Amino acid sequence: MSEHENRAENPAEELTVPELQRRLAEFAAARDWQQYHTPKNLVAALTVEAGELLEIFQWLTPEQAAGVMADAEAAHRVHDEVADVLAYLLQLCTVLEVDPLQALAEKIERNESRFPAP
Amino acid sequence: MSEHENRAENPAEELTVPELQRRLAEFAAARDWQQYHTPKNLVAALTVEAGELLEIFQWLTPEQAAGVMADAEAAHRVHDEVADVLAYLLQLCTVLEVDPLQALAEKIERNESRFPAP
Amino acid sequence: MSEHENRAENPAEELTVPELQRRLAEFAAARDWQQYHTPKNLVAALTVEAGELLEIFQWLTPEQAAGVMADAEAAHRVHDEVADVLAYLLQLCTVLEVDPLQALAEKIERNESRFPAP
Amino acid sequence: MSEHENRAENPAEELTVPELQRRLAEFAAARDWQQYHTPKNLVAALTVEAGELLEIFQWLTPEQAAGVMADAEAAHRVHDEVADVLAYLLQLCTVLEVDPLQALAEKIERNESRFPAP
């Protein structure tokens, strides 16, 4: 498949946060879904998806939770929900013009001061 | 500060998802916090932080929510909570050995089939 | 149906918080589910169900959200998710020995002091 | 204080769900807060408060979580967040005209059919 070959040739282009943000925006635009992608709706959707990720773990003991990826169906659900959380987080960052990686890098630096390593 | 100089020289190296995952793991290890970073705890923390992000928007009208970044204090809170959500999502992915960007790329492809563009 | 007649005769017994807590405990015990009903699991489940309630509203405008009960299917989902949120909240209160109505009455009193009416 | 004496004389009247819903509505009306209490905002607030309740438990082992009420400060936070979750759930039910106890009773009956006891 030529699309797949192309991806293999340009792996860096494919799997970066800005590139995924571009693809998500294109996906929404093609379906006229941008009208729903207000900041408040996107944050609500992010929270809903975080809850769906938590649902996978809610009745598991810590031991069962640690082994969740050994179950193929659970592992698929984890991938799926991680993707959904990230999708809404990135779309929120796009509409709010927040750079998520920069925000995290700055937060780690603030936390280095706030919680000095022993 | 040599670390900062180094960062300025290699900005691309600094602001990638794998690099941030490495820094988060180093931060946790230096404080002996990895013991708390079980999958179940990290998913709970991710959900809690998504809720804190939602809290910023909960009483706003759609119009107020769209303008939230014009308020310096709210904008700072948004950056802070986006960073927290991303931090726990990346740490969860580290412990579960999930590649978040790959998971999202695959989900976008599944959604292309599931919701064909008109 | 005799069960229904019985309910009509004892409406007060049926629809109080302590009676519903009793029925939930009986339901869980009959299925040997109490082992899963640890405080942490119940709080996680409560958060998951709150997310499912939010899911109904996530893409709605404020106007659409205000009219949600006019749609029979959405109204059924709302009843269902309200019930789930309340179920896990009451079961959490049972295991933690918290009286939810007393807790709320006390919180309202604290809020009367904290936010004096104009 | 006469209000308090009155409450002590009629404890049953005070601590029912409809009475608490009435007090919450009165509290909001006195502060002109009803304008914020749209269904979508109240569901968002409910989810946020569920997250704050989860925050108390997020890093605890199951054993620590089971003993959380032995710590006076944690016990106070639990009461406070349980009250907040219940407050927003009841206010949501008021604006949507859902009877929460009836909704739960009906859900328990549906679950009796869905998950027959062994």
Side-chain angles (χ1 to χ4, degrees):
Chain A
M1 196 213 282
S2 68
E3 194 199 3
H4 191 266
E5 281 161 26
N6 186 53
R7 194 171 304 145
E9 286 162 22
N10 301 295
E13 184 184 283
E14 291 291 327
L15 284 178
T16 65
V17 163
E19 171 59 16
L20 287 166
Q21 286 182 295
R22 198 196 55 70
R23 277 201 242 168
L24 288 164
E26 197 176 83
F27 184 93
R31 285 150 189 83
D32 201 20
W33 287 358
Q34 298 134 311
Q35 58 183 313
Y36 303 111
H37 289 182
T38 65
K40 188 161 176 166
N41 289 0
L42 288 167
V43 182
L46 168 66
T47 309
V48 168
E49 297 299 334
E52 293 187 9
L53 190 53
L54 181 57
E55 192 181 14
I56 302 170
F57 295 88
Q58 65 187 345
W59 305 121
L60 304 185
T61 62
E63 293 70 30
Q64 291 168 330
V68 77
M69 303 305 281
D71 177 83
E73 194 194 313
H76 178 78
R77 284 180 69 198
V78 167
H79 276 90
D80 205 52
E81 299 301 347
V82 161
D84 283 339
V85 170
L86 185 57
Y88 288 122
L89 182 65
L90 295 188
Q91 289 177 99
L92 177 71
C93 287
T94 300
V95 300
L96 295 180
E97 298 182 21
V98 167
D99 180 332
L101 302 186
Q102 186 65 40
L104 178 51
E106 289 170 7
K107 177 78 188 236
I108 294 172
E109 279 180 50
R110 284 199 299 279
N111 279 347
E112 295 273 2
S113 313
R114 210 174 137 206
F115 306 102
Chain B
M1 198 214 282
S2 68
E3 193 199 3
H4 191 265
E5 280 160 28
N6 186 53
R7 196 171 302 149
E9 285 163 22
N10 300 296
E13 183 184 283
E14 290 291 326
L15 284 177
T16 65
V17 162
E19 170 61 15
L20 286 166
Q21 285 181 295
R22 198 197 54 71
R23 279 202 240 166
L24 287 164
E26 197 177 83
F27 184 93
R31 285 150 189 84
D32 200 21
W33 287 357
Q34 297 134 310
Q35 58 183 312
Y36 303 110
H37 289 182
T38 65
K40 189 160 176 165
N41 289 0
L42 288 167
V43 182
L46 168 66
T47 309
V48 168
E49 296 300 334
E52 292 187 10
L53 189 54
L54 182 57
E55 191 181 14
I56 302 171
F57 295 88
Q58 65 186 346
W59 304 121
L60 304 186
T61 63
E63 293 71 30
Q64 290 169 332
V68 77
M69 302 305 281
D71 178 82
E73 194 193 315
H76 178 77
R77 283 180 69 198
V78 167
H79 277 90
D80 206 52
E81 300 300 348
V82 161
D84 283 340
V85 170
L86 186 57
Y88 288 122
L89 182 64
L90 295 188
Q91 289 176 99
L92 177 71
C93 287
T94 300
V95 300
L96 295 180
E97 298 182 22
V98 168
D99 180 331
L101 302 186
Q102 185 66 40
L104 178 51
E106 287 170 9
K107 178 79 188 236
I108 294 173
E109 278 180 52
R110 283 198 300 278
N111 279 346
E112 294 275 1
S113 312
R114 212 175 136 206
F115 307 103
Chain C
M1 197 212 284
S2 67
E3 193 199 3
H4 192 266
E5 280 160 28
N6 186 53
R7 193 172 305 144
E9 285 162 23
N10 301 295
E13 183 184 286
E14 291 289 326
L15 284 178
T16 65
V17 163
E19 170 61 15
L20 287 166
Q21 286 182 294
R22 198 196 55 70
R23 277 202 242 168
L24 288 164
E26 197 176 84
F27 184 94
R31 284 150 189 83
D32 201 21
W33 286 358
Q34 297 134 311
Q35 58 183 313
Y36 303 110
H37 289 182
T38 65
K40 188 161 176 165
N41 288 1
L42 289 167
V43 182
L46 168 67
T47 309
V48 168
E49 297 300 333
E52 292 188 8
L53 189 54
L54 182 57
E55 192 181 14
I56 302 171
F57 295 88
Q58 65 186 345
W59 305 120
L60 304 185
T61 63
E63 293 71 32
Q64 291 168 332
V68 77
M69 303 304 282
D71 178 81
E73 194 193 314
H76 177 78
R77 283 180 69 198
V78 167
H79 277 90
D80 205 53
E81 300 301 347
V82 161
D84 283 340
V85 170
L86 185 57
Y88 288 123
L89 182 65
L90 295 188
Q91 290 177 98
L92 177 71
C93 287
T94 299
V95 299
L96 295 180
E97 298 181 21
V98 168
D99 179 331
L101 302 186
Q102 186 65 40
L104 177 51
E106 287 170 9
K107 178 77 187 236
I108 294 173
E109 279 180 50
R110 284 198 299 280
N111 279 346
E112 294 274 1
S113 312
R114 210 174 138 207
F115 307 103
Chain D
M1 195 214 282
S2 67
E3 194 199 2
H4 192 267
E5 282 161 27
N6 186 53
R7 194 170 300 147
E9 285 162 23
N10 301 296
E13 183 184 285
E14 291 291 326
L15 283 178
T16 65
V17 162
E19 171 60 16
L20 287 166
Q21 285 182 294
R22 198 196 54 70
R23 279 202 240 167
L24 288 164
E26 196 177 84
F27 184 92
R31 284 150 190 83
D32 200 21
W33 286 358
Q34 297 134 312
Q35 59 183 312
Y36 303 111
H37 289 181
T38 65
K40 189 161 176 165
N41 289 0
L42 287 167
V43 182
L46 167 66
T47 308
V48 168
E49 296 300 334
E52 293 188 8
L53 189 53
L54 182 57
E55 192 181 13
I56 303 170
F57 295 88
Q58 65 186 346
W59 304 122
L60 304 185
T61 63
E63 293 70 32
Q64 291 168 331
V68 77
M69 303 305 282
D71 178 82
E73 194 193 313
H76 178 77
R77 284 180 70 199
V78 167
H79 277 90
D80 206 52
E81 300 301 347
V82 161
D84 283 340
V85 170
L86 185 57
Y88 288 122
L89 182 65
L90 295 188
Q91 289 177 99
L92 177 72
C93 287
T94 299
V95 300
L96 295 179
E97 299 182 21
V98 168
D99 180 330
L101 302 186
Q102 185 66 39
L104 178 51
E106 288 170 8
K107 178 79 187 236
I108 294 173
E109 279 180 50
R110 283 198 298 280
N111 279 346
E112 294 273 2
S113 311
R114 211 174 137 206
F115 307 102

